[in-house]
Amino acid sequence: MTLLHRDRRGRPVRRRTAVAAIVALALTPLTACGGGDDAKVSASGTAAVKLGVIPIIDIAPVQLGISKGVFARHKLKVTTQSAQGGAAIVPAVVSGDFQFGYSNLVSLFIAQGKRIPVTMVSVGARASGDVLDDGSGQLMARDPAIKGIADLKGKKIAINTLKGINEVAVTSSLKKQGLAPGDVSLVEVPIPNMPETLNAGKVDAAMMSEPFISIAKGQGAKPLPVSYASMGRDLPFAGWFTSKQFAAKNPEVVKRFTAALKESLSYAQAHPAEARAALNGYLKLDAGLSEKVTLPGWNPEAGRNEIAPLAQLTVDAGLIDSTRPLDDLLAK
C-alpha cells in the first residue's frame, strides 16, 4: 500500500486510506449492503463463516480454537482472510464478504458514529499491565536520540491505519507530554512491514504488534512509553463483531460463534504456551520467536464501564463526537 501521512500541521496528505471505505459505506444506502446476510448451512447443520482478521498475535486464540476443533463442535466451518486493519474489515463485514470480523474498538466506534450497522459479539483482546511491554500495541524506535515521547516532535511515526486505535494511542500520549498531534507525521504501513520500514530509516518510530515487536527488538529497536497499556492497563481495545443484518437473520449462528469464540479466548488465556505455538500456524516466524513474544490479555468478558475510557480517548482525539457509539455498538 502507498505510504500515507499527515503533515506536521496535522493535515492529512494523500488520504487514500482504508478508513475511506468506512466513509464511502456510510454514504451508501443500506439496502445495497448485506450480500452475505444468510449463512450457508450444510445438511448436517454446520454453518460456513469467513472471518476478517489481522495477521498479528491477537488472532492466536481463534487459530487455536480452529485447530482444536472448538468451532467444529459448535457446528461452524471457519475460514479466515487477512486484512490490514479494522478500517478495512468493517465495510467487508457489512457488505457480507465476511460474516464476522476482528477490529480495534476505535474503528468500530467510528463506524457506529457514521451509523454503519455493526454489533460487537465479544471483546477480542486487552492491553497489558506494562506501558513498555504491550504485545498488541507498542511504539518502537531505533534512533538512540529518541529516548522519550518529547523526542518524537518533528518525527515520522508508522501506524497501520489512520483514524484507528494506533492514532488514538499516539495522540493521547503526545498530549500527556504537552505535544500536539501535528507535531508528528503519521504514516500508514502494514504491521508486518514495520520492522523493515523502521530498520531502513523510512520512519523514526512504528506502532507495532507481536511478533513484529520482537523482530524489531532483534534489529536494535527499543520500546517507548506509547502503547495500548499507556491508555489504560488491561484496557479492552479490540473486539469481534458482525453486521446487524447478519445477526438479525442468523441469531443461532451468532450465538454459536460467540460461544465458540469465548471458549477459544478463555482457553488461550489459560494455556499461553499453546497460544504461542498457534502463532507458527499462520505466521512465518524464525525458530524460537514465538516463545519470546508478549501475549495480550484474552479475558472475553467486559462491560461498558471497562471500555468507556477508550471511547472517551477517541472523542478527545476528535474521531467521534461523543461516547454514544459505544452504547450503539453494545446494543443487541
Side-chain angles (χ1 to χ4, degrees):
M1 173 174 278
T2 303
L3 296 184
L4 308 174
H5 66 278
R6 293 176 179 271
D7 66 19
R8 290 178 182 174
R9 294 184 180 179
R11 298 172 301 190
V13 178
R14 299 184 66 188
R15 296 183 63 179
R16 289 180 64 250
T17 173
V19 76
I22 292 181
V23 177
L25 186 58
L27 300 176
T28 303
L30 295 182
T31 54
C33 302
D37 285 351
D38 292 316
K40 296 179 180 179
V41 181
S42 69
S44 66
T46 298
V49 294
K50 182 184 289 187
L51 315 184
V53 301
I54 310 168
I56 54 176
I57 196 169
D58 299 13
I59 305 303
V62 164
Q63 298 293 345
L64 186 58
I66 292 172
S67 67
K68 294 189 74 68
V70 174
F71 290 92
R73 290 199 300 274
H74 288 269
K75 291 190 174 183
L76 294 167
K77 181 180 179 181
V78 175
T79 57
T80 63
Q81 183 172 321
S82 295
Q84 186 166 333
I89 294 173
V90 168
V93 168
V94 177
S95 68
D97 291 338
F98 303 140
Q99 283 68 55
F100 298 92
Y102 183 79
S103 173
N104 70 82
L105 294 179
V106 170
S107 290
L108 295 182
F109 297 155
I110 293 172
Q112 276 291 355
K114 297 182 181 299
R115 300 187 181 278
I116 295 173
V118 291
T119 184
M120 192 168 78
V121 299
S122 173
V123 165
R126 292 170 176 267
S128 77
D130 187 340
V131 298
L132 288 172
D133 189 17
D134 193 301
S136 293
Q138 188 75 53
L139 191 66
M140 305 293 292
R142 292 188 76 248
D143 185 348
I146 302 177
K147 298 178 180 179
I149 297 173
D151 299 321
L152 293 172
K153 187 171 184 178
K155 303 299 184 182
K156 186 181 293 185
I157 299 175
I159 58 176
N160 64 326
T161 60
L162 296 174
K163 307 287 187 185
I165 190 168
N166 288 331
E167 182 169 337
V168 173
V170 171
T171 298
S172 63
S173 295
L174 291 175
K175 286 183 176 179
K176 289 177 184 177
Q177 293 295 317
L179 299 180
D183 287 334
V184 301
S185 297
L186 298 180
V187 180
E188 276 193 344
V189 178
I191 291 173
N193 297 353
M194 286 186 181
E196 178 184 354
T197 303
L198 182 62
N199 199 38
K202 295 178 181 178
V203 296
D204 300 293
M207 192 75 180
M208 302 183 192
S209 302
E210 290 283 23
F212 307 103
I213 294 169
S214 292
I215 292 172
K217 285 181 179 178
Q219 298 171 344
K222 303 293 183 182
L224 294 173
V226 179
S227 62
Y228 293 171
S230 69
M231 295 188 291
R233 289 174 171 82
D234 302 315
L235 178 74
F237 66 82
W240 290 91
F241 68 100
T242 188
S243 70
K244 290 187 181 292
Q245 301 100 308
F246 185 86
K249 290 188 177 182
N250 306 275
E252 182 60 27
V253 173
V254 174
K255 181 179 179 180
R256 280 154 40 195
F257 176 78
T258 303
L261 176 62
K262 290 187 175 182
E263 183 179 335
S264 298
L265 288 163
S266 297
Y267 187 88
Q269 178 87 2
H271 299 83
E274 291 186 52
R276 292 175 188 280
L279 290 174
N280 295 306
Y282 64 99
L283 295 172
K284 295 180 180 179
L285 304 178
D286 292 340
L289 182 59
S290 63
E291 300 170 6
K292 300 177 182 178
V293 300
T294 299
L295 300 177
W298 282 311
N299 180 355
E301 303 300 333
R304 184 192 185 283
N305 289 343
E306 279 195 273
I307 303 172
L310 181 57
Q312 185 59 54
L313 287 175
T314 307
V315 173
D316 296 342
L319 301 187
I320 55 176
D321 294 330
S322 73
T323 59
R324 180 174 178 178
L326 169 58
D327 297 310
D328 294 337
L329 183 65
L330 297 177
K332 302 302 181 183

